Amino acid sequence: MDAPHSTTVAVTGHLMDTGILARVLDDVLEYGGDYLIESLDLGRRHEDESRALVRVSAGEGDLLERIVMRLQTHGANPVDPGTATLRPAPADGVFPDDFYSTTNLDTCVRLDREWLPVDRAEMDCGLVVDEVDGGAGGRVVVRTVPVSDVRAGAAVVCGARGVRVEMPPAVARGEEEAFGFMSSAASSEKPQVVLVRQIAERMREVKAAGQKVLWVGGPAVVHTGAAPAMVRLVEAGYVDVLFAGNALATHDIEAALFGTSLGVDLAKGAGVPHGHEHHIRAINTIRRAGSIAAAVASGVLTGGVMHAMVRAGRPFVLVGSVRDDGPLPDVYTDVIGGQRAMRAQLPGVGFCIMVATMLHAIATGNILPASVPLVCVDINPATVTKLADRGSAQAMGIVTDIGLFLEQLARELAP
């Protein structure tokens, strides 16, 4: 290897079973570098981890830095990481050119030979070093910051030196047997009753540990007639936070006020006269009340998922899109403000379940740490595939009808 710039990275884990080593080597070549496997120690038993040392080289130092950053998405770290380089952000909303682009894996940064954990893992952000509690007793913290939120002069970690990431979460052998749905890709050819039981058991464990269950939902929850099952899950305490768009809340409220969803009578499965107006009339009713919570308090809204969330005191974040009607007064129309509101609800989340929504699922996956187990349920297997392709490698899926799934889950958790 005659390239002038090189470094050795170490990667540890179930390298053969998971294909991590192959992905590391492929990425080196794809990004224009070269590699030499210096050592490969394979575990002798199935549960044993393996370790590889790979010498990575590139013709330019900047290219080597970018390759190392890419390899860190697989949990590969330089053997000699050095210490982090800090540069000031040149302007509000702008990182230095060589900023470290984060992964969704747990990360540490080394400053003056001391490793500091990053407060929260999130992909496609930067790392900012702050001093808090100034004075002699002050301390240094490292934060994950989206580019839209960085401020001029902030100390930004640049390059890959002094940054270490943890291996992607793996399913332990005991968990693999107890939670088989976590160890394979989305499929419709699985025993759904067993999968639902496994998800229910995981949710019970999360709640028993004092953590939160995050739901991300689309309007098909209402269209399929599954809203009553969702209400039972809220009332049973298994919906701690809800992320959605304008549509789920609008059609849920439409169903509560008019008995229809998109103008279709949910009891008869047929359209009703002037039913196409019901969703916008529902929005207008809530706008007149001032908010969803105000409509509940005044007795205007007396049923449905949103009513249950308000009555249970559970937070929800509704973020809209350019095609929204209305929207409801609770909807964030500034997507950056919506992202911030979603991030504010993530501390304490121990499990995330996404049902019948592609765009909101991908958006939530982008801000979740890889350490949070994530299950995506959709009638379309492409939803799970796209979620995983966009960096949420921990996403596992169930391909099924949302109405049937939620009814079964409610029977398990809220009989």
Side-chain angles (χ1 to χ4, degrees), residues 283-362:
I283 291 171
N284 192 58
T285 299
I286 303 302
R287 291 179 73 92
R288 184 186 302 113
S291 68
I292 296 173
V296 172
S298 64
V300 170
L301 182 62
T302 59
V305 175
M306 304 312 299
H307 172 269
M309 292 294 290
V310 172
R311 289 289 301 272
R314 302 299 186 187
F316 53 85
V317 180
L318 309 177
V319 183
S321 72
V322 71
R323 66 185 184 277
D324 284 342
D325 291 324
L328 291 164
D330 301 79
V331 171
Y332 285 88
T333 55
D334 176 348
V335 294
I336 301 300
Q339 288 177 4
R340 291 172 182 149
M342 291 166 69
R343 289 188 182 99
Q345 295 297 333
L346 295 184
V349 168
F351 187 80
C352 179
I353 181 165
M354 302 173 169
V355 289
T357 173
M358 180 180 291
L359 297 182
H360 255 75
I362 293 171

Side-chain angles (χ1 to χ4, degrees), residues 102 106-109 116-122 126-127 142-144:
T102 59
D106 290 341
T107 304
C108 293
V109 173
L116 298 176
V118 174
D119 66 337
R120 178 180 52 83
E122 180 180 338
L127 298 174
V142 186
R143 299 183 293 118
T144 304

